Every structure is written in structure tokens, then in C-alpha cells.
Amino acid sequence: MKGRSLMSEKVTLSILETSDVHGHILPINYGNNEPAILGLAKLSTLIKQQKAKNISHTILIDNGDVIQGTPLTYYYARVNSEGTNPVISVLNAMGYDAAVLGNHEFNYGQEILQKSIRDSQFPWISANILNKGTKEPYYGKPYTIRHFDHDLKVGILGLTTSYIPNWENPNHIKDLSFESVIQTAQKWVPFLRRKEKVDVLIVSYHGGFERNLTTGEVTEHLTGENQGYQLCQEVEGIDVLLTGHQHRFLTGEVNNITILQPGDKGQALGKVNIILEKQRDKWQILEKSAQIIKVDEKTKADPKILQLTQIFEEKTQKWLDQPIGQIKGDMLIRNPMEIRTKDNALIEFINKVQMDVSKVDISNTALFSDEAPGLHSKVTMRDIVSNYIYPNTLKVLKITGKDIKDALERSASYFDDFNGKEIKVNPEFTTPKPQHYNYDMWEGIEYEINISRPFGKRVVLLLYNGKPVEPTKEYQVVMNNYRAGGGGDYVMFQNKEVVQDIPIDVSELLANYILERKVVEATINHNWKVVHD
């Protein structure tokens, strides 16, 4: 009888995934403190509800990019790092089983990252991030295993996009080697199957998909940043592929592998259910399904998470409301598209600060998000971090005039083919996720972009000090470290000579500039514009 009951035994394994939370714990918009339908406090409620349905066979995994992204995380990393990282305290309280390193985990440097890992009550895993010297996984084991009743073994392999060296501050990753995601999976998946003898194999990959899930058609530049589709096609033995990085909501099957991607900022919880049956002392998968469970207005924030964050949140809010100076004139944003089609005071101000700090006379920057509010007349730290949302630093590169033109053509591709009526954004910059941060605006040169022209031939005017920019002449240009590494497909900047490395966050540089001057005048010199026939 005992053997017969085991042979007919069925269990449901529930896998819950969060990804790209980017430090959003509380359901608020830090730019104006208005309520927002997102964050770990609300996700905690959903997670508790899901665990109650299957308390004995649930796994909770974070897929990366969790410790960076809000003023609260910035305040902890840059202003007051006493005690446990508030994000880690929350993840511990929520009962995570594992977390994967995302590219933004490195943004605040090794000290903050290592402390966060030490304080975590769960393992951080990534099989393809190795120590350059030992070639061993840098952050511990490449995988973790969960054991359940009746010898059910579930393996979780962590992988991280190997494209990080193209974006990250080299000082933050100097001892690390980012190996091929595909080759690493081809090594560890068979190991977990044959040596560890896992019954279910989950790959949690901080990366996304480079192809259409149904047709296999290429949807992104095949740089190696996103290789989810390739993993499904070239690595045998994966049951579930958890993904992220692209901030998409995805469920489905690729080559019999169940795939999942739960968006960003804690807007949703991803869930995979696997029904297993034990047959002749071996577990067999009978059915797999994936779903996205979104946070909504009715989802209450978990009081335990709110209380856990309260003291640190109060300190952050006080810091955000500190007045640092005044703007004389107008640096507010009312129409993001208008900001990107003609010279404006906010972008000119950021470029002027970058040029002042670096002592060079050419600069570029982006309006990172359509939600950026601009700078109010009485400037606070909230204004600064709401507009400059990334912990970027600056680099001065020596590049040629041709590089400048190529970069401007890359930016010019932000605009879709002009239909004669309205200016639209090229879907390449909005799908699968908004990439407004990959459109740069320049100071120190004069240029015009004509969006009636074909891609690659849109720069119709390019001058430096009133004279044409010479293709072979070298110029020194200041830009953020993400762009300087070629991030955003600005390949013309890769491997160029770094004349200067300025390792201070740009948001701090902006704040310091205002603090020193007390009053900053909004200026527009009209050095560039977007036109059409």
C-alpha cells in the first residue's frame, strides 16, 4: 500500500519571481510622494496570499536589479550606510529563497554589494561571474537546491547578463570575469541533472530575450546582452527559465521550457506552477503553466514591510526635502518630446555642469525618463534625484569627429520615419522597454537633425566653434560612464582613450554645483535642433 500511494502521489510546485524591483519598497513616487501601484510592500501581500495556497512547496526568487534605483537606496549607499541595507532587511522578512545578481547590483560599488550579500539570509547566485584569479564563482555557489518532502529536489541556477563590462564603472568590477551565459549553462545544467540529480531545474537569468518567442525573429541587436531565446534552444535540461532585465511582462513556452518575466518596480509577481507525480521513485513533470499577478489599487501594502522601512524612509524624506538653491528662470519639463527636439534649459544645465567639472567644452547627456519633472525654482535633493535617476559617474573620452557624427546618427534614430504630421519615437526605443535614456543631447557643438532623412543620414549640420567638425580630428568629450562604455549601442565609444575618470555620482555633482552658487540661471543657447522637411 505504501508503494502504491507513493506511485500515485502528486504535488504542485509554485515558483514565485520578482525582478528589476530597483529599490522600490514603498508604493510611492519619490518625485512627488504621490501613491504608486508598485513596490515590495504590496508584493509582500501578494506573496503571502500565494504561499497560503501552497505553503509546503513554494520557492521565492528575486532575479536581480533590486538594491539600486530609488532615493532610499541612494541615501543608504551614498549618505548613511549604517546598519543593514533596507532592501535586504525587507527581502529577508519576505522569506526569499535565492537572489540573482543583476547588472545594477554593482552600481554602488563592491563595499555596498558585499555587505548586502553578507546580511542576506538567502544565497546570492550567479554561475558566470567569476573571480579573475581563481576562475571560481565570485559570490559563492553558482546554484542552490531546495529539498521538499519525498525527496523532491529543485535546483536553481543563477546567470547574469555578461554585457556588464560595457556599462559598469571598471572600479566596481575590476576583479571579476563575466563568462558566456550559454557556455556556463551548458556546463552547469548537466551537472545539476547528473551529479546533483535534481528533479526540477530552474534557471534564473538576469537577462531577457533577443528574439520573438513565437517566430524566432531577431528583435534586438545580437550583442549578447539578452540571450534567453538562445538558452532555450541550445541548453538541454531546463524546465523553467526566469528572466528579467528588459522590464517586460512575459509568459509562455519556448522549446518546451516555461518562460517568465514579471516587469519591473514591483508592479507584478511572476508565478510558475509545476504539477509533478512520483512514478517508480522518480518525479515526473505532468504540467507547467506561467502567469503574471499584477499589483492593483486594491492590493494593500504589508504593514510589516512598512514598519521595517519606516525609520530609514523618514531619514530619506528629510534628506530629499533639503533645499539646496534656486533656479532663476524655467527648468521644468512639461513636454518630454519638446525637450528632445530643441535645445532647452534643463539639458543645457546638466551638460554645463559636466563641462565645468571635467574642464572640457563638449558634453552629452540624456533626459532619462518621460516622468522626469525638471527642476523647480526652489531646488531640493528630491528634484535632483528625480531627474538624474542613475548613479552614473563621468568619463572624458578622446574621440574623432567621425565618432561624434556616428553618435549623433545613433541618437537621431530615436525618431521614427516622419509622416509629415507628428514626430514619433522609433519603436526600437520603446519596445520591449522604454529606452529614452539612449537619446543624447549635446552641448559645445552646433548640430541639426533632419528626421525626414533616412536613418544614418540625418545629421545635416555639425560645427565646432563655427567650423565643420573634421572626421579625423580628435576631440575630448565628457559623458556618463554608461555611454562611455558603449551602452545603448553607442559602439563608436567602446575602447576609446579615457582622458579623465570622475568617480563622483553625477547627481552629487549637480547638487554641489547648485549648493556652491546658490542661484543658477536657466539659459538656452540654441546650439541644436531637430527639423523636418
mmCIF file of all heavy atoms in Angstrom, residues 343-344 348 352 442-445 523-528:
data_model
loop_
_atom_site.group_PDB
_atom_site.id
_atom_site.type_symbol
_atom_site.label_atom_id
_atom_site.label_comp_id
_atom_site.label_asym_id
_atom_site.label_seq_id
_atom_site.Cartn_x
_atom_site.Cartn_y
_atom_site.Cartn_z
ATOM 1 N N ASP A 343 16.941 72.654 -28.212
ATOM 2 C CA ASP A 343 17.738 72.961 -27.022
ATOM 3 C C ASP A 343 16.846 73.517 -25.915
ATOM 4 O O ASP A 343 15.886 74.252 -26.163
ATOM 5 C CB ASP A 343 18.814 73.980 -27.394
ATOM 6 C CG ASP A 343 19.895 74.081 -26.317
ATOM 7 O OD1 ASP A 343 19.987 73.153 -25.474
ATOM 8 O OD2 ASP A 343 20.645 75.070 -26.334
ATOM 9 N N ASN A 344 17.171 73.141 -24.679
ATOM 10 C CA ASN A 344 16.346 73.527 -23.540
ATOM 11 C C ASN A 344 17.234 73.740 -22.322
ATOM 12 O O ASN A 344 18.365 73.275 -22.262
ATOM 13 C CB ASN A 344 15.286 72.465 -23.261
ATOM 14 C CG ASN A 344 15.894 71.147 -22.862
ATOM 15 O OD1 ASN A 344 16.152 70.902 -21.683
ATOM 16 N ND2 ASN A 344 16.189 70.287 -23.842
ATOM 17 N N GLU A 348 20.723 71.703 -21.036
ATOM 18 C CA GLU A 348 21.894 72.583 -21.127
ATOM 19 C C GLU A 348 22.573 72.718 -19.764
ATOM 20 O O GLU A 348 23.809 72.729 -19.670
ATOM 21 C CB GLU A 348 21.480 73.955 -21.655
ATOM 22 C CG GLU A 348 22.654 74.878 -21.921
ATOM 23 C CD GLU A 348 22.278 76.063 -22.775
ATOM 24 O OE1 GLU A 348 21.777 75.839 -23.905
ATOM 25 O OE2 GLU A 348 22.501 77.204 -22.337
ATOM 26 N N LYS A 352 26.324 71.676 -18.904
ATOM 27 C CA LYS A 352 27.233 72.720 -18.398
ATOM 28 C C LYS A 352 27.937 72.270 -17.126
ATOM 29 O O LYS A 352 29.129 72.551 -16.932
ATOM 30 C CB LYS A 352 26.448 74.017 -18.150
ATOM 31 C CG LYS A 352 26.150 74.795 -19.429
ATOM 32 C CD LYS A 352 25.163 75.924 -19.191
ATOM 33 C CE LYS A 352 25.730 77.013 -18.319
ATOM 34 N NZ LYS A 352 24.778 78.168 -18.218
ATOM 35 N N TRP A 442 23.551 67.267 -26.997
ATOM 36 C CA TRP A 442 24.939 67.701 -26.861
ATOM 37 C C TRP A 442 25.055 69.202 -26.636
ATOM 38 O O TRP A 442 24.213 69.985 -27.080
ATOM 39 C CB TRP A 442 25.724 67.349 -28.123
ATOM 40 C CG TRP A 442 25.930 65.878 -28.349
ATOM 41 C CD1 TRP A 442 24.965 64.920 -28.492
ATOM 42 C CD2 TRP A 442 27.181 65.201 -28.477
ATOM 43 N NE1 TRP A 442 25.528 63.684 -28.704
ATOM 44 C CE2 TRP A 442 26.900 63.827 -28.691
ATOM 45 C CE3 TRP A 442 28.508 65.606 -28.437
ATOM 46 C CZ2 TRP A 442 27.895 62.873 -28.867
ATOM 47 C CZ3 TRP A 442 29.513 64.661 -28.610
ATOM 48 C CH2 TRP A 442 29.196 63.304 -28.819
ATOM 49 N N GLU A 443 26.121 69.576 -25.964
ATOM 50 C CA GLU A 443 26.496 70.969 -25.772
ATOM 51 C C GLU A 443 27.948 71.103 -26.217
ATOM 52 O O GLU A 443 28.730 70.157 -26.126
ATOM 53 C CB GLU A 443 26.342 71.362 -24.302
ATOM 54 C CG GLU A 443 26.412 72.853 -24.035
ATOM 55 C CD GLU A 443 25.262 73.632 -24.636
ATOM 56 O OE1 GLU A 443 24.137 73.094 -24.727
ATOM 57 O OE2 GLU A 443 25.491 74.797 -25.033
ATOM 58 N N GLY A 444 28.308 72.290 -26.724
ATOM 59 C CA GLY A 444 29.692 72.526 -27.157
ATOM 60 C C GLY A 444 29.897 72.351 -28.647
ATOM 61 O O GLY A 444 30.956 72.676 -29.178
ATOM 62 N N ILE A 445 28.880 71.809 -29.332
ATOM 63 C CA ILE A 445 28.876 71.721 -30.788
ATOM 64 C C ILE A 445 27.537 72.278 -31.272
ATOM 65 O O ILE A 445 26.579 72.397 -30.508
ATOM 66 C CB ILE A 445 29.071 70.282 -31.302
ATOM 67 C CG1 ILE A 445 27.989 69.341 -30.697
ATOM 68 C CG2 ILE A 445 30.466 69.763 -31.012
ATOM 69 C CD1 ILE A 445 28.006 67.922 -31.243
ATOM 70 N N THR A 523 19.540 78.929 -18.854
ATOM 71 C CA THR A 523 19.980 79.504 -20.130
ATOM 72 C C THR A 523 19.737 78.533 -21.276
ATOM 73 O O THR A 523 19.730 77.310 -21.087
ATOM 74 C CB THR A 523 21.478 79.853 -20.092
ATOM 75 O OG1 THR A 523 22.239 78.637 -19.896
ATOM 76 C CG2 THR A 523 21.788 80.829 -18.968
ATOM 77 N N ILE A 524 19.548 79.098 -22.448
ATOM 78 C CA ILE A 524 19.398 78.298 -23.675
ATOM 79 C C ILE A 524 20.180 78.997 -24.771
ATOM 80 O O ILE A 524 19.890 80.157 -25.103
ATOM 81 C CB ILE A 524 17.920 78.165 -24.106
ATOM 82 C CG1 ILE A 524 17.057 77.629 -22.961
ATOM 83 C CG2 ILE A 524 17.812 77.254 -25.326
ATOM 84 C CD1 ILE A 524 15.568 77.601 -23.274
ATOM 85 N N ASN A 525 21.177 78.313 -25.343
ATOM 86 C CA ASN A 525 21.976 78.953 -26.399
ATOM 87 C C ASN A 525 21.603 78.462 -27.800
ATOM 88 O O ASN A 525 22.221 78.863 -28.780
ATOM 89 C CB ASN A 525 23.472 78.760 -26.142
ATOM 90 C CG ASN A 525 23.888 77.290 -26.153
ATOM 91 O OD1 ASN A 525 23.106 76.405 -26.514
ATOM 92 N ND2 ASN A 525 25.108 77.022 -25.736
ATOM 93 N N HIS A 526 20.605 77.587 -27.863
ATOM 94 C CA HIS A 526 20.050 77.134 -29.154
ATOM 95 C C HIS A 526 21.117 76.545 -30.073
ATOM 96 O O HIS A 526 21.171 76.850 -31.272
ATOM 97 C CB HIS A 526 19.320 78.294 -29.857
ATOM 98 C CG HIS A 526 18.248 78.915 -29.027
ATOM 99 N ND1 HIS A 526 17.053 78.277 -28.762
ATOM 100 C CD2 HIS A 526 18.197 80.111 -28.371
ATOM 101 C CE1 HIS A 526 16.296 79.057 -27.995
ATOM 102 N NE2 HIS A 526 16.960 80.175 -27.730
ATOM 103 N N ASN A 527 21.965 75.681 -29.517
ATOM 104 C CA ASN A 527 23.057 75.107 -30.323
ATOM 105 C C ASN A 527 22.631 73.887 -31.132
ATOM 106 O O ASN A 527 23.398 73.392 -31.951
ATOM 107 C CB ASN A 527 24.249 74.740 -29.433
ATOM 108 C CG ASN A 527 23.933 73.576 -28.497
ATOM 109 O OD1 ASN A 527 23.030 73.687 -27.666
ATOM 110 N ND2 ASN A 527 24.659 72.478 -28.622
ATOM 111 N N TRP A 528 21.413 73.404 -30.915
ATOM 112 C CA TRP A 528 20.973 72.234 -31.686
ATOM 113 C C TRP A 528 19.457 72.245 -31.829
ATOM 114 O O TRP A 528 18.742 72.878 -31.043
ATOM 115 C CB TRP A 528 21.425 70.925 -31.028
ATOM 116 C CG TRP A 528 20.771 70.650 -29.688
ATOM 117 C CD1 TRP A 528 21.206 71.078 -28.464
ATOM 118 C CD2 TRP A 528 19.566 69.924 -29.448
ATOM 119 N NE1 TRP A 528 20.350 70.661 -27.477
ATOM 120 C CE2 TRP A 528 19.340 69.951 -28.046
ATOM 121 C CE3 TRP A 528 18.665 69.246 -30.257
ATOM 122 C CZ2 TRP A 528 18.244 69.319 -27.451
ATOM 123 C CZ3 TRP A 528 17.573 68.619 -29.679
ATOM 124 C CH2 TRP A 528 17.365 68.651 -28.290
#
